[in-house]
Amino acid sequence: MTLISSYTASSLKDAAASLRSGNLVAFPTETVYGLGVDATNKEAVAHLYQVKGRPSDHPLIVHISSMANLDKWAKKIPVYAIKLARTFWPGPMTLILPRSNLAKDFITGNQNSVGIRVPSHPLASALLKEFEDQGGLGVAAPSANRFGKVSPTTAGDVFEELSGSLSPTDLILDGGPCQVGVESTIINCTQVIPEILRPGAITAAMISDLIGVQVNQIATGSNKSSIKAPGLLQSHYAPRAKVFLSTTPDFGAGFIALSNIPTPPGAIRLASPKNNNEYAQLLYQALRLCDTKQISNVIVIPPTGEDIAIAICDRLEKCAYKG
Ligand code: TXA
Ligand code: MG
């Protein structure tokens, strides 16, 4: 595995070629780092599942460079989904759509839908464009962490998490820390009314304002949706440390809260974000820091609000210690 920290047109060409020959390439997106693979290469995708330690019925998001390639992967695209794509792509949003024949079972986890995203990070855009120029159709990329663990927001996190399991020909591209910091909003667009399967930076209010229909958000643990929703397992997005929400810390516990909340006596401050956007940016770094500092318990005071706070609270509930 090679870590590439400064990229040029020729290193991007090489990275795209590497994907085309079936290798894994970890790359930055504006949300979190992804572990990319040619979405049409069954063996390469099998290798990816093995590296991630992910159950094979768990579907992958296909990343494309622009909306122009959408109908290669999806069909019967509702008008509201086209509106969403035109407005929020490139950006932190994934659309779940009825799949075309190109989206095989090994990508969709045997479902009849496929997840598609056009990321906005310049390095991701350039890599996807180059990959498509070389004849590729889409790059499947889950977050570049071991299954159930915290998503990586720097190339260093990816290295730490996966260097032991990547092959010598695999690559990690360093594009700096991710700007958003939590995974994309996933919207189920296989029904008459869209439904949020995973909250993110594109909020329910932004979606409702655009399409003029109230969108629902499926609750954690709910099985109301006809398709599999992400992160519904007992423990997801979790560090080794036990995460507690809104309790008083014991001596030596980690502490994460907005900067206006003072650190309780005896607690170890791990992050002091000034606002909710910064909270999202810093959260996963702070959770990883618990593990590097070998802190066994961390207290997190969730942010409030209708913005990205909803996504932060969703991830916190999923990683919180369930006793
Ligand atoms: O921000 C992101 O979305 C990042 C970056 C790398 O793009 N990717 C990401 O991928 O978070 P991953 O695989 O860690 O999470 C994607 C989630 C999975 O939990 C999966 O259940 C859901 O998307 N998903 C993918 N395809 C789906 C489908 N056809 N139906 C329902 N859920 C789907
Ligand atoms: Mg993930």
Side-chain angles (χ1 to χ4, degrees):
M1 182 270 315
T2 311
L3 176 70
I4 299 177
S5 45
S6 63
Y7 63 97
T8 57
S10 102
S11 62
L12 271 179
K13 267 201 170 73
D14 293 347
S18 188
L19 278 170
R20 291 288 287 143
S21 21
N23 295 306
L24 304 183
V25 176
F27 63 96
T29 81
E30 67 280 19
T31 57
V32 300
Y33 274 70
L35 183 58
V37 68
D38 184 335
T40 61
N41 184 331
K42 191 174 182 181
E43 288 74 40
V45 171
H47 178 211
L48 171 91
Y49 274 93
Q50 187 205 336
V51 165
K52 254 195 84 89
R54 180 167 173 152
S56 61
D57 65 346
H58 215 80
L60 296 172
I61 297 172
V62 178
H63 296 67
I64 53 179
S65 75
S66 85
M67 206 183 144
N69 295 332
L70 185 56
D71 53 13
K72 294 200 174 86
W73 289 96
K75 56 181 190 183
K76 296 189 202 137
I77 304 168
V79 175
Y80 71 75
I82 302 278
K83 238 181 181 173
L84 288 169
R86 286 213 177 106
T87 310
F88 298 122
W89 277 348
M93 176 185 76
T94 297
L95 300 182
I96 307 296
L97 293 159
R99 66 170 165 177
S100 72
N101 290 336
L102 189 59
K104 303 287 188 230
D105 283 347
F106 61 84
I107 287 297
T108 70
N110 301 317
Q111 303 187 78
N112 286 325
S113 57
V114 61
I116 307 284
R117 175 157 117 81
V118 178
S120 65
H121 192 291
L123 182 41
S125 298
L127 177 68
L128 292 169
K129 181 80 183 46
E130 183 58 43
F131 177 78
E132 288 162 9
D133 287 350
Q134 292 183 23
L137 295 168
V139 173
S143 50
N145 51 283
R146 301 272 306 161
F147 184 64
K149 296 296 177 190
V150 181
S151 295
T153 53
T154 67
D157 296 344
V158 180
F159 185 87
E160 219 171 82
E161 185 112 355
L162 297 178
S163 59
S165 22
L166 291 172
S167 305
T169 46
D170 296 333
L171 300 174
I172 300 176
L173 306 183
D174 188 347
C178 301
Q179 289 303 300
V180 176
V182 293
E183 304 80 356
S184 62
T185 306
I186 301 184
I187 309 170
N188 177 11
C189 300
T190 64
Q191 302 165 346
V192 179
I193 293 180
E195 169 190 47
I196 297 184
L197 300 179
R198 180 176 71 184
I202 306 300
T203 62
M206 290 159 78
I207 300 165
S208 300
D209 281 355
L210 180 74
I211 62 174
V213 177
Q214 191 63 36
V215 298
N216 293 323
Q217 182 157 314
I218 69 151
T220 306
S222 136
N223 54 9
K224 269 186 270 164
S225 177
S226 55
I227 63 174
K228 282 194 196 101
L232 290 184
L233 301 165
Q234 269 290 314
S235 168
H236 215 96
Y237 310 110
R240 241 188 346 262
K242 289 180 185 147
V243 176
F244 297 93
L245 305 182
S246 307
T247 48
T248 315
D250 294 334
F251 188 83
F255 187 73
I256 301 171
L258 281 166
S259 58
N260 61 353
I261 301 174
T263 312
I268 303 162
R269 188 81 183 212
L270 297 168
S272 301
K274 287 186 281 302
N275 53 49
N276 291 352
N277 286 338
E278 206 176 290
Y279 202 131
Q281 257 172 24
L282 299 179
L283 177 65
Y284 289 163
Q285 282 303 313
L287 290 176
R288 281 175 182 276
L289 200 56
C290 294
D291 292 348
T292 4
K293 287 181 176 289
Q294 299 187 319
I295 293 171
S296 49
N297 295 327
V298 56
I299 315 295
V300 187
I301 312 294
T304 54
E306 295 302 305
D307 54 5
I308 201 160
I310 295 174
I312 298 171
C313 293
D314 168 77
R315 306 309 189 273
L316 287 175
E317 277 158 31
K318 282 169 188 152
C319 75
Y321 182 62
K322 310 285 187 314

